[in-house]
Amino acid sequence: MKKREIKLIAMDMDGTLLTSSKEITEHTIEVLEAAMDRGIQIVPATGRSVNGLPKKLTALKRMRYCILSNGARVYDLHKKKSIYKNQFETDQVLKLLEDVRPYHAFRSIAKDGEVYCYKEELDRLGSFHLGEYSEEMIRASRTPVEDLKDYIIQEGGTSEKMTLFFEDQEERAKARKELTESGLYTVVASLKNNLEISLDSCNKGDALAHLMEHLDLKKENIMACGDAENDYEMIRAAGIGVVMENGTDEMKEIADYITDDHNSDGVAKAIEKLALN
């Protein structure tokens, strides 16, 4: 692989930086610190909102920027403000709520750094069979409201994305097909039982390009790590695209480098090999 001067490393969270138990190992933290010692920007690039970033990560005081909600927001953690948004207007997210109404799914909407869901659906979250860690994460990161439509109308403004969790995989496939064919949305998955819905122009690669422009960096200065299809455009946008051993076959096909899996410090190993050595 051609030697490059890496100045920014963007990394997905779930299935990439985080282990199956949604933790960051101490060794990975040490490697992230070592990269920042070299002046390298560490940038979480996730489907989560800012309130879903792990505390171990936000405790890294030198970490400044993050890509949130699959590219709907590039956020400056130091100044506590967005430097780029690509989000649903009120009328667009109300139409999306109507479009997903026929599906039996747990629905939530990311808005202004928080994630809102129907109280009634959160009360019966166990019926969606999300698994121990997903359910724990969802309960910790969702704010319940009686009615999402009423809340969106009342608050106004823009919304980042919608996430759906399905119990039935056939219904998930049907929803994906119908929502994609509408031409209004980008529909991706980060887990085997979810769909994440953004504006049709929204993805992590687009957000990374805007952050690169903001920091006056070129593609050859960028390394990106991911595992799933919501990382596809980001991996393509980077000078070095790193895919995890646990990543999908489609992602491995476009990788410049395949690292170890997310339970074996795969991100740390890639940083050590490609950016620090």
Side-chain angles (χ1 to χ4, degrees):
M1 187 182 300
K2 183 180 177 182
K3 182 77 172 174
R4 300 175 188 270
E5 184 183 4
I6 301 302
K7 297 181 179 180
L8 184 151
I9 304 172
M11 57 197 68
D12 173 55
M13 296 287 99
D14 299 282
T16 301
L17 187 69
L18 305 184
T19 66
S20 296
S21 56
K22 307 301 180 185
E23 297 289 336
I24 307 176
T25 69
E26 289 303 321
H27 177 62
T28 292
I29 291 293
E30 290 170 3
V31 172
L32 297 182
E33 292 274 19
M36 289 188 285
D37 287 343
R38 298 271 189 97
I40 298 172
Q41 296 269 2
I42 296 298
V43 178
T46 177
R48 301 182 183 203
S49 292
V50 68
N51 73 334
L53 292 177
K55 291 180 180 178
K56 264 191 179 181
L57 207 54
T58 54
L60 300 175
K61 300 301 183 184
R62 290 177 293 174
M63 190 184 77
R64 180 165 183 176
Y65 300 102
C66 51
I67 294 170
L68 303 168
S69 296
N70 287 337
R73 190 181 192 195
V74 180
Y75 191 68
D76 185 329
L77 290 161
H78 291 186
K79 292 187 175 181
K80 296 187 176 1
K81 71 173 189 177
S82 298
I83 63 173
Y84 174 67
K85 290 183 178 181
N86 191 3
Q87 303 182 5
F88 291 106
E89 298 294 339
T90 298
D91 61 333
Q92 293 173 312
V93 79
L94 290 177
K95 174 168 176 44
L96 175 56
L97 274 169
E98 186 65 23
D99 288 346
V100 303
R101 191 164 57 88
Y103 310 127
H104 175 67
F106 177 83
R107 298 162 287 179
S108 60
I109 291 176
K111 179 177 175 60
D112 300 324
E114 300 289 336
V115 185
Y116 300 92
C117 66
Y118 289 96
K119 181 181 183 301
E120 181 270 334
E121 290 181 2
L122 190 63
D123 288 343
R124 57 183 179 87
L125 189 61
S127 68
F128 292 96
H129 305 295
L130 303 180
E132 177 186 352
Y133 297 112
S134 291
E135 184 170 336
E136 180 183 351
M137 183 185 74
I138 287 171
R139 289 192 185 278
S141 62
R142 264 58 172 181
T143 299
V145 297
E146 291 296 333
D147 188 280
L148 277 173
K149 179 179 177 181
D150 289 347
Y151 183 81
I152 294 296
I153 292 172
Q154 176 184 331
E155 293 297 311
T158 60
S159 299
E160 297 164 24
K161 70 162 188 172
M162 176 181 285
T163 301
L164 306 176
F165 283 93
F166 292 84
E167 180 179 356
D168 184 274
Q169 288 300 309
E170 289 186 6
E171 185 172 28
R172 176 177 177 264
K174 178 175 182 288
R176 180 173 195 150
K177 181 175 184 294
E178 292 174 347
L179 292 167
T180 300
E181 289 180 350
S182 74
L184 299 174
Y185 312 116
T186 293
V187 184
V188 296
S190 60
L191 301 169
K192 293 180 180 180
N193 59 346
N194 84 342
L195 293 177
E196 301 180 9
I197 308 162
S198 311
L199 279 177
D200 62 337
S201 60
C202 180
N203 58 70
K204 292 182 185 181
D206 169 70
L208 179 58
H210 280 84
L211 180 57
M212 289 161 56
E213 182 178 2
H214 179 76
L215 297 173
D216 194 26
L217 296 177
K218 296 180 173 58
K219 180 175 181 176
E220 55 263 32
N221 302 134
I222 309 301
M223 174 174 154
C225 306
D227 71 303
E229 63 181 89
N230 64 330
D231 303 315
Y232 187 93
E233 289 85 358
M234 178 176 73
I235 295 296
R236 296 298 296 268
I240 300 178
V242 176
V243 173
M244 314 302 291
E245 180 57 44
N246 54 283
T248 66
D249 290 340
E250 179 188 30
M251 293 297 295
K252 289 178 181 177
E253 286 178 7
I254 65 167
D256 297 301
Y257 181 77
I258 297 174
T259 190
D260 214 335
D261 66 76
H262 66 136
N263 289 318
S264 305
D265 290 313
V267 168
K269 290 174 181 175
I271 293 173
E272 288 173 317
K273 181 176 179 63
L274 303 174
L276 299 183
N277 289 338

